Amino acid sequence: MKKYSIFLLIVIFFSSCKENQKGKIESAQNIEVTQNAKTQEPHPGKVIMERECYLCHNPKAKMADRFAPPMEAIKRHYIDSTVSQQEFTEALIKWINDPETETKIPAAHKEFGPMPYLPNREDALIKIADYIYNNELERPEGFEEYFKSSYKEGTGLEDCNCYGSPGPEKVYGTIGMAYAKEAKKALGKSLTKAIQEKGTVGAIGFCNLEAMQITDSVSLMKNAVIKRVSDKLRNPKNKATPKELEYIDWFKEVVASGDEIEPVVETKDGEVSFYYPITTNALCLQCHGTPNKQVLPQTMTALNKLYPNDMALGYDVNQVRGMWSIEFYSDK
């Protein structure tokens, strides 16, 4: 009997060890799953959609500021139980590459006009379509009630003036601003890296050789002409036209008055011209501030060598250094 009891205790002990080990493994697996969920990269289609499509289809925009229906409204008109992912993807690609094509939301098309033509890679559109088709989309507050009361099922918004058209100037202003921010981001990232690696003097060489190449590459990517122009030149290639000089002077007055800055947008024969000021900050003054004060002597030596006719000095913070001048097509 005593031997049996000892044997039973041994069995219980090892069984307990196995259960504990199993519990530890399951716990480790759960932790791994949780960690993977936390570190999981966002869907690439979602990233592209929020960066590109939300310029006009942002679900968080106020009613008066919306340029187009939110993506959830588009999804509901293009996808039902009979539409496959392949069919939706093909319809999305066709629509974006040819905004004049037949739409399933004719009243929205009538209200806002055709979507401005924006060049998009097909692989990016496939990723966007995959995300829209297989995921819940963010919706504006009160969307369900508004959708039910405003939309007639299957009619495509015939009786709905749902979103309030802000006019093409505001739409194109948003697009132009996005292009300017993209170019500014690319330039700022490279300039900061150059300053960190080579110092301010070394960064002057970067500006001299690479700055225009960067804006040209963004121009190519966006199918636009993106320029930085100024009335006080450093690089002669940045010389403003007489018309651009007038806008620079006007922006100087706006900035000095403290009024809110709005871009200037002009449209003619399907072409859009966008203008927005470039203002200085503390970082700019290392190369554009007062000589031998913010601009150190060694920096001045480098500037004089590369730009003997330099006029881009003497600035303080929050002054108009120049202007973004961007041209793109409103449609094909």
Side-chain angles (χ1 to χ4, degrees):
M1 185 68 181
K2 188 175 181 181
K3 291 182 177 180
Y4 175 77
S5 298
I6 294 172
F7 174 77
L8 183 61
L9 288 172
I10 292 172
V11 170
I12 292 172
F13 173 79
F14 279 105
S15 296
S16 176
C17 287
K18 288 183 178 179
E19 286 298 318
N20 287 337
Q21 186 179 24
K22 179 182 178 182
K24 289 179 180 178
I25 292 172
E26 289 178 347
S27 177
Q29 289 174 337
N30 290 336
I31 292 172
E32 184 178 356
V33 169
T34 302
Q35 290 176 338
N36 286 341
K38 288 181 179 179
T39 59
Q40 185 177 11
E41 293 295 325
H43 191 294
K46 180 176 186 288
V47 174
I48 300 170
M49 181 180 72
E50 291 181 347
R51 185 181 67 234
E52 303 288 345
C53 306
Y54 276 18
L55 293 175
C56 297
H57 299 274
N58 192 341
K60 294 181 180 178
K62 296 179 181 178
M63 187 74 70
D65 295 330
R66 287 185 187 153
F67 302 145
M71 297 303 293
E72 175 65 18
I74 294 171
K75 178 176 181 176
R76 294 195 184 193
H77 282 283
Y78 276 81
I79 300 174
D80 58 29
S81 59
T82 66
V83 176
S84 69
Q85 182 169 339
Q86 179 66 27
E87 290 171 332
F88 170 64
T89 301
E90 291 174 355
L92 183 69
I93 292 173
K94 180 182 179 183
W95 176 41
I96 292 179
N97 286 333
D98 184 8
E100 294 285 356
T101 192
E102 184 178 353
T103 176
K104 293 185 179 181
I105 318 179
H109 190 274
K110 180 180 179 181
E111 181 180 346
F112 298 103
M115 187 180 78
Y117 173 67
L118 301 173
N120 285 277
R121 305 183 313 276
E122 187 166 310
D123 61 327
L125 298 179
I126 291 172
K127 292 173 183 176
I128 293 173
D130 179 72
Y131 179 75
I132 292 174
Y133 193 90
N134 294 298
N135 293 273
E136 292 286 333
L137 302 183
E138 187 176 2
R139 303 167 188 173
E141 185 177 351
F143 176 82
E144 292 297 339
E145 294 75 14
Y146 199 80
F147 188 89
K148 289 176 182 177
S149 64
S150 300
Y151 289 63
K152 288 187 175 181
E153 186 175 356
T155 62
L157 293 172
E158 278 82 350
D159 297 330
C160 179
N161 184 19
C162 298
Y163 300 101
S165 177
E169 287 77 14
K170 194 166 185 179
V171 174
Y172 298 142
T174 299
I175 294 171
M177 187 65 73
Y179 290 172
K181 287 181 178 179
E182 186 83 10
K184 180 180 177 181
K185 180 180 177 181
L187 285 167
K189 183 178 180 180
S190 297
L191 178 59
T192 302
K193 182 180 178 182
I195 292 174
Q196 290 173 343
E197 294 179 351
K198 305 175 183 178
T200 303
V201 174
I204 295 171
F206 156 80
C207 291
N208 179 256
L209 297 174
E210 299 183 37
M212 295 199 73
Q213 294 179 16
I214 291 174
T215 53
D216 287 346
S217 67
V218 178
S219 296
L220 184 62
M221 182 174 62
K222 298 298 183 182
N223 193 31
V225 178
I226 302 174
K227 299 186 300 179
R228 295 179 303 152
V229 298
S230 180
D231 57 334
K232 295 174 67 175
L233 294 177
R234 172 159 290 170
N235 188 334
K237 294 180 180 179
N238 296 128
K239 184 178 180 179
T241 66
K243 183 178 183 179
E244 290 168 340
L245 288 172
E246 291 180 6
Y247 283 130
I248 289 174
D249 289 338
W250 183 76
F251 281 129
K252 286 182 179 180
E253 293 178 6
V254 174
V255 171
S257 69
D259 292 339
E260 184 177 357
I261 305 172
E262 294 287 345
V264 174
V265 176
E266 297 177 346
T267 58
K268 183 178 180 181
D269 299 330
E271 293 186 359
V272 178
S273 297
F274 168 94
Y275 307 103
Y276 193 79
I278 298 172
T279 55
T280 53
N281 56 34
L283 179 64
C284 302
L285 301 189
Q286 293 184 32
C287 293
H288 295 285
T290 302
N292 301 315
K293 187 176 179 182
Q294 290 104 338
V295 186
L296 298 178
Q298 59 267 35
T299 304
M300 282 300 306
T301 299
L303 287 171
N304 290 331
K305 182 178 180 180
L306 290 172
Y307 305 104
N309 298 313
D310 183 20
M311 296 187 293
L313 293 164
Y315 288 95
D316 200 351
V317 294
N318 199 35
Q319 291 186 336
V320 176
R321 158 77 184 94
M323 184 177 69
W324 292 104
S325 178
I326 302 175
E327 294 181 354
F328 56 94
Y329 292 105
S330 60
D331 52 38
K332 279 189 173 180

